[in-house]
Amino acid sequence: MPTAEKRVILDELTEKLKSSSALYIANYSGMSVPEVNELRGAFRKGDIRFKVYKNKLVKLAMEEVGGYDEIIPALVEQNAFAFVEEELSAPAKVLKDFIKDNNKPEFKAAIVDGDFYGADKLDVLAAMKSKNEIVGDILGLLMAPLSNVVGALESQGSNLVGAVKTIAEKGDE
């Protein structure tokens, strides 16, 4: 049974897992303190919660919440965790950019909307569209037929006016 102090952290983790739509795990072994702080700053800019927890506490929270069986084996070595509610691909984009410049940290795994993504899927996750991009695409698709109908009505109206004019002119002759 965890101590009272660890129980508070466990409850915090459990709430974060319940309220998050995605969880990313990165191994920060070999990173200097300034590098870790720079990475934290990059996550903070994206409004992403990024924190280091003991693997054992994370495992207990995952078991309590359920649905994290596939990612539990990644809970070895020194890990940091990114919790996301809205922009599910944002941590992948931050990690990809940071790794490109620093060759660290090592992306280990993620659970996004209940789906498991292994260490080889960082590029796939980073390429995912954000919620706002998807909404924009849907609105664009919905607006296209409407603008086509308006365009067709306008062109039909101008043709109709032209036809009525021609008939009226013929009637005058």
Side-chain angles (χ1 to χ4, degrees):
M1 189 69 179
T3 63
E5 184 180 308
K6 288 184 180 176
R7 186 70 225 177
V8 170
I9 295 169
L10 184 60
D11 290 342
E12 174 188 321
L13 271 167
T14 303
E15 283 307 308
K16 282 185 178 184
L17 289 173
K18 286 179 181 176
S19 67
S20 297
S21 298
L23 168 70
Y24 287 73
I25 301 175
N27 177 352
Y28 68 94
S29 297
M31 291 180 69
S32 67
V33 172
E35 287 174 327
V36 172
N37 288 337
E38 184 182 342
L39 180 59
R40 278 192 178 131
F43 276 111
R44 206 173 298 117
K45 284 180 190 172
D47 200 27
I48 302 162
R49 295 174 290 174
F50 182 73
K51 195 166 178 180
V52 173
Y53 290 101
K54 291 192 176 280
N55 289 325
K56 186 173 183 171
L57 288 175
V58 174
K59 181 180 178 188
L60 287 172
M62 286 178 172
E63 289 171 345
E64 197 171 307
V65 172
Y68 290 92
D69 296 337
E70 287 182 281
I71 204 167
I72 288 176
L75 298 177
V76 293
E77 300 174 335
Q78 296 178 312
N79 294 317
F81 304 88
F83 300 89
V84 191
E85 294 174 19
E86 293 285 324
E87 299 301 330
L88 305 182
S89 65
K93 292 173 183 173
V94 170
L95 282 169
K96 185 176 177 179
D97 289 343
F98 198 85
I99 291 168
K100 183 176 67 176
D101 295 338
N102 301 285
N103 294 323
K104 299 172 193 165
E106 171 196 356
F107 170 69
K108 292 179 82 176
I111 294 279
V112 178
D113 273 342
D115 294 326
F116 175 78
Y117 294 86
D120 60 333
K121 300 294 185 199
L122 183 61
D123 290 336
V124 171
L125 290 166
M128 285 177 30
K129 290 187 176 189
S130 71
K131 182 180 178 182
N132 289 338
E133 291 171 328
I134 292 170
V135 168
D137 288 350
I138 291 170
L139 287 175
L141 290 171
L142 292 173
M143 294 301 290
L146 186 60
S147 62
N148 290 343
V149 168
V150 169
L153 287 175
E154 286 176 346
S155 67
Q156 286 297 327
S158 64
N159 289 344
L160 184 61
V161 169
V164 169
K165 247 186 189 178
T166 305
I167 293 171
E169 289 171 359
K170 284 186 180 181
D172 288 339
E173 292 176 0

